[in-house]
Amino acid sequence: MPPRGPLLALQVGMKTEAATKAVLVVEDEQSIRDVLVELFEVDGNTVNSAELLPEALEKLRTQRFDLIVTDLRLGGKRDGGLQVMALAGMLSPDAMVLVLTAYPDDSNRQASFRLGALHFLEKPVDLATIANYASSVGVRTAFATSLKE
């Protein structure tokens, strides 16, 4: 029987590559969104971003994600990030969810954890912290790449 799949690729000398990681950044402040997108735009990742809740929900409906970084308040909606987490829990249940907020009250923290967030981070957040959490689920970052150089 002729070899198939990964065995065939190794025998023919082709490189096998790690699976691409999908990242969703949901942030209504453009400067923060741009920095986060840039952090994750490296080989091995596909990065999507959304400014407001409707756009984020549409992206969640059409793709599964490995990492979701969401602001808690989106476009003035106090619960925008909570809605992102609720849908992510149904459609990307294996995704790591990081919540960013300038409003770190305890009720928001508890609601975020109930909806599946693994980390609740107060703005401003150090990019090294986000990169460290991302690497724990195999998502590469530009920050980690620059450390190796």
Side-chain angles (χ1 to χ4, degrees), residues 15-71:
K15 291 193 301 187
T16 56
E17 295 186 22
T20 300
K21 297 292 186 174
V23 178
L24 176 61
V25 173
V26 184
E27 171 61 64
D28 57 351
E29 290 184 48
Q30 183 173 352
S31 60
I32 296 172
R33 188 173 61 252
D34 290 348
V35 167
L36 290 170
V37 166
E38 190 174 328
L39 176 68
F40 295 113
E41 279 188 333
V42 297
D43 288 340
N45 294 344
T46 57
V47 183
N48 285 273
S49 66
E51 177 181 359
L52 299 174
L53 183 60
E55 184 183 5
L57 298 180
E58 183 59 29
K59 289 179 186 291
L60 284 164
R61 287 185 189 102
T62 59
Q63 183 177 349
R64 288 188 145 231
F65 293 94
D66 299 291
L67 175 66
I68 299 167
V69 180
T70 185
D71 188 6

Side-chain angles (χ1 to χ4, degrees), residues 84 138 146:
V84 168
S146 67

